Amino acid sequence: MSKILFVLTGADHWTLADGTRHPTGFWAEEAVAPYEAFKAAGHEIVVATPGGVVPPLDKGSLAAELNGGQENADRIAGVLDSAAEFQQPVRLSDVNLDDYDAVFYPGGHGPMEDLAVDADSGRLLTRALASGKPLGVVCHGPAALLAATGADGTNAFAGRRVAAFTNAEETQAGFADKAKWLLQDRLTEAGVQVDEREPWAPHVIVDGNLVTGQNPASSAPLAVELLKKLG
């Protein structure tokens, strides 16, 4: 049995370019699909958030049309309600990477608000990448990579190939013209190589110990790749 750290946003909103707050949090499928895969394989999961706050769920991610129907949306909501790990997170600042065998970051727009500038998260990601331990990040989760900068300002993930939520997907989701910045643009500016594929289709990139997914549909296949690395 391995011990896997889930790092989730603590932000319940995303500040748009005009200053308005868009209600958000983490995206249900991106947390639940890997959670179920890892638990089914017998692994232990610990959730961490900035400040140890209970991670806010983006309620929009439970819409029936985004989950293949109301039945599956209700099932996913039930998993989140019954999973004690999500209700009892630890403080991200207290996390010791040595205690874990793998690290996983789900998305949602929340990470754009807090994890993108969270120094504790940035240090953890830098250490996780260097450690060789499996590190999974999906959809908007790669916003957290932006905080993984060294003293010289260079990004620890520069030169790495990743999949992440694309400008095309943000445009189709209706937020590209409202956002302060776009994830694909910022990652590219930081020297990260974003491998863009068809919007909304599953797309996972494995680059060494780093496993990334482009969108919600990529979360389950990403979990499969992480499980392979855990052996």
Side-chain angles (χ1 to χ4, degrees), residues 11-152:
D12 63 1
H13 68 276
W14 177 33
T15 306
L16 301 178
D18 65 0
T20 59
R21 291 184 167 198
H22 171 69
T24 187
F26 71 91
W27 198 259
E29 180 185 3
E30 295 168 24
V32 169
Y35 175 86
E36 291 186 308
F38 299 148
K39 294 288 274 193
H43 300 306
E44 178 185 354
I45 291 171
V46 174
V47 171
T49 63
V53 302
V54 174
L57 170 67
D58 187 325
K59 294 179 175 58
S61 67
L62 291 178
E65 62 270 21
L66 299 177
N67 292 284
Q70 191 61 50
E71 184 177 348
N72 193 51
D74 291 343
R75 186 192 67 79
I76 289 174
V79 172
L80 291 171
D81 287 341
S82 62
E85 294 94 338
F86 292 100
Q87 309 305 320
Q88 301 167 349
V90 302
R91 289 177 177 269
L92 185 55
S93 58
D94 293 340
V95 165
N96 182 350
L97 181 64
D98 296 340
D99 296 336
Y100 301 93
D101 301 290
V103 179
F104 172 65
Y105 279 67
H109 278 116
M112 301 277 282
E113 185 76 19
D114 62 353
L115 297 179
V117 293
D118 189 289
D120 292 319
S121 174
R123 283 189 289 270
L124 175 68
L125 284 165
T126 300
R127 282 201 61 206
L129 184 65
S131 73
K133 294 180 179 184
L135 171 60
V137 196
V138 69
C139 200
H140 285 93
L145 308 186
L146 299 171
T149 53
D152 60 356

